[in-house]
Amino acid sequence: MSPQDEVVFGHTVEGLLVALDGHLDASLRAKFKDAGLDLDRKMAPAYPKAQWYQWLRLAAETLFPGVPLPQAHWRLGERFITAYFSTAMGRALQAVLKILGPARTLERTTRNMASGSNYVRVDVERLAPTDYRLKVNDAGIHPEFFGALCHFGTLTTGVEGLTTEVEGRDGPSATYRMRW
């Protein structure tokens, strides 16, 4: 797949906009428009990955000014999951995750992430019954955002004591360790 073909689906972008609720003033709307997202137009079915990364940074800087970008992206990921689960697609996914529980949710991470984009692939390795390693082919500019998606998405299953850490990075790829 060429970089031009790598996209984030419109409902994922919708989740980001819901996360920005209350912050989308004229100035921020203009910044999004300059970055390729005209909020006065109908949502497209998909958007280029490069634009998505610009929008994530813009959202993180807007919501968490003065916070270092890795932490801002983690916090944005938490806020995004809450917002995404308020969308139609997100509500459906959340209902499934609650039924599956934490282990099966993590084992389905590639499938779950496929609903948001066409380029993210996740290799899931079960190290012990409550210890997983996730290797993501493209975790974006800051792997904390993707880590937060996995962390807070898994928390919706009711799991207690979940920890998620970025174990490593290699270009756009990232490795995460999740335990409970």
Side-chain angles (χ1 to χ4, degrees):
M1 179 180 312
S2 72
Q4 297 91 333
D5 297 329
E6 296 175 332
V7 296
V8 172
F9 301 126
H11 63 85
T12 303
V13 177
E14 178 188 355
L16 180 64
L17 297 176
V18 173
L20 283 164
D21 188 41
H23 294 85
L24 286 169
D25 59 15
S27 173
L28 184 56
R29 292 173 77 84
K31 289 177 185 177
F32 268 99
K33 188 173 184 176
D34 289 344
L37 182 60
D38 187 345
L39 299 175
D40 294 323
R41 295 186 156 206
K42 185 180 178 201
M43 186 80 55
Y47 296 92
K49 174 179 78 170
Q51 286 181 321
W52 170 246
Y53 290 153
Q54 290 176 6
W55 303 337
L56 287 177
R57 183 181 181 116
L58 184 56
E61 290 170 345
T62 298
L63 293 171
F64 310 106
V67 174
L69 275 176
Q71 288 89 1
H73 276 253
W74 178 269
R75 292 170 64 183
L76 176 61
E78 177 181 14
R79 190 172 173 123
F80 175 88
I81 281 293
T82 300
Y84 183 73
F85 284 152
S86 74
T87 68
M89 183 71 84
R91 282 190 298 275
L93 177 59
Q94 185 179 33
V96 170
L97 298 181
K98 286 181 179 182
I99 293 167
L100 293 176
R104 287 180 38 211
T105 292
L106 287 174
E107 290 163 2
R108 292 174 38 111
T109 300
T110 290
R111 189 177 193 180
N112 295 339
M113 292 301 168
S115 71
S117 73
N118 70 347
Y119 63 89
V120 174
R121 303 290 175 264
V122 183
D123 291 323
V124 179
E125 179 182 5
R126 183 177 182 179
L127 304 171
T130 60
D131 186 359
Y132 285 79
R133 179 173 287 127
L134 283 68
K135 295 179 182 178
V136 182
N137 70 317
D138 192 331
I141 298 167
H142 292 284
E144 291 78 10
F145 177 77
F146 193 91
L149 297 182
C150 293
H151 180 84
F152 293 103
T154 303
L155 279 180
T156 67
T157 67
V159 66
E160 294 184 17
L162 179 67
T163 61
T164 302
E165 63 185 72
V166 179
E167 271 193 334
R169 259 205 98 149
D170 184 15
S173 300
T175 303
Y176 304 89
R177 189 77 175 266
M178 299 182 70
R179 303 175 200 162
W180 64 94

